[in-house]
Amino acid sequence: MKKTIVVVDDHLLIANALSSIISNFEAFEVLYVCENGLELQNKINQHPIPDIVLLDISMPIMDGFETANWLKKDYPNTLIMALSMQDDEQSLIKMIKNGAKGYMLKNAHPKELEEALQKILKNGQYFQEWATSKVLSTLHYNHNNSNEIKISDREKEFLKYTVTEMTYKEISEKMFCSPRTVENYRDSLFEKLELKTRVGLAVYAIKNGYEE
């Protein structure tokens, strides 16, 4: 039986092109396409629940962030694959926080899309190479090891803010300390958690319940 997909993208030419491409994949079929999250909300109970939602980020009415968060709460067994032109860290962090298990750029080759769909079903996640070093090591982080790491209350507070869009300077103001102190928290956590980027810290915060 083929795995089912719904495409959500406000550019109908792109959505229909994706649908046409996926129709040539042996293991997948597209149930329908939607222009935004609100349309998905209205349609999803009228059809079989999809295995995967291919979700654009920048959409009117109800964007990808809000849609992903709704899917995570109401349809937790449906895998969310973000499909976007945005390759910035904040969009990546926010989509992971809101439940996305994969993230692809729209310039991907159709063959990579097919492989990505296969891998997200098999492994529960898929991230392109540009995001892999920022994300996967944190997603695979051993919870038993993390329980043994001593993280101070102030470091936990800092971790909470890494998930937001605030700059380090804005975080320092929120924490009533100097930017240098915030940098010390960051560097200390980099060393303790064996991470190198803010994305890694943010994903760790999400996984371990330190987010706001």
Side-chain angles (χ1 to χ4, degrees), residues 168-173 177-185:
Y168 287 129
K169 184 177 185 298
E170 290 169 335
I171 292 174
S172 71
E173 293 170 355
C177 63
S178 69
R180 181 58 191 162
T181 300
V182 161
E183 291 173 3
N184 288 338
Y185 293 144

Side-chain angles (χ1 to χ4, degrees), residues 61-74:
I61 304 176
M62 187 174 177
D63 66 17
F65 299 121
E66 187 179 355
T67 305
N69 195 45
W70 171 73
L71 283 169
K72 179 178 70 171
K73 293 176 180 176
D74 289 71

Side-chain angles (χ1 to χ4, degrees), residues 12-205:
L12 284 180
L13 282 175
I14 294 176
N16 289 327
L18 280 169
S19 180
S20 178
I21 290 169
I22 294 169
S23 69
N24 292 316
F25 298 164
E26 183 178 344
F28 300 95
E29 64 176 335
V30 175
L31 294 176
Y32 53 90
V33 300
C34 298
E35 291 189 62
N36 54 62
L38 183 60
E39 185 177 352
L40 176 63
Q41 285 185 331
N42 292 333
K43 281 187 174 182
I44 197 165
N45 285 325
Q46 302 171 24
H47 302 83
I49 305 302
D51 296 301
I52 302 171
V53 171
L54 280 179
L55 185 60
D56 188 21
I57 294 179
S58 300
M59 298 182 292
I61 304 176
M62 187 174 177
D63 66 17
F65 299 121
E66 187 179 355
T67 305
N69 195 45
W70 171 73
L71 283 169
K72 179 178 70 171
K73 293 176 180 176
D74 289 71
Y75 298 91
N77 294 325
T78 294
L79 294 163
I80 303 167
M81 171 80 80
L83 194 61
S84 177
M85 293 302 297
Q86 301 179 34
D87 62 356
D88 60 288
E89 290 189 355
Q90 290 303 323
S91 295
L92 178 62
I93 291 171
K94 195 169 182 180
M95 284 304 291
I96 293 172
K97 178 183 179 182
N98 287 14
K101 302 300 183 183
Y103 199 110
M104 290 189 69
L105 298 181
K106 286 185 176 180
N107 61 2
H109 190 278
K111 184 64 176 176
E112 183 181 1
L113 174 60
E114 184 176 17
E115 291 174 355
L117 294 173
Q118 292 169 343
K119 287 179 180 178
I120 198 172
L121 283 170
K122 181 180 178 180
N123 304 324
Q125 61 192 34
Y126 176 82
F127 294 91
Q128 287 180 305
E129 187 175 345
W130 67 273
T132 298
S133 63
K134 299 175 181 178
V135 177
L136 288 188
S137 61
T138 312
L139 288 174
H140 289 148
Y141 203 89
N142 188 298
H143 280 269
N144 293 327
N145 289 341
S146 66
N147 290 335
E148 297 170 2
I149 295 171
K150 302 298 182 184
I151 299 177
S152 70
D153 288 341
R154 289 291 276 175
E155 287 173 339
K156 291 176 183 178
E157 183 181 0
F158 168 71
L159 279 169
K160 176 179 69 174
Y161 293 126
T162 63
V163 181
T164 71
E165 298 180 5
M166 287 189 286
T167 64
Y168 287 129
K169 184 177 185 298
E170 290 169 335
I171 292 174
S172 71
E173 293 170 355
K174 196 79 172 179
M175 294 182 68
F176 302 103
C177 63
S178 69
R180 181 58 191 162
T181 300
V182 161
E183 291 173 3
N184 288 338
Y185 293 144
R186 178 199 63 195
D187 294 343
S188 173
L189 287 165
F190 279 165
E191 183 175 354
K192 289 179 180 179
L193 303 176
E194 299 179 0
L195 298 171
K196 296 180 179 179
T197 67
R198 177 168 173 169
V199 171
L201 292 176
V203 175
Y204 179 86

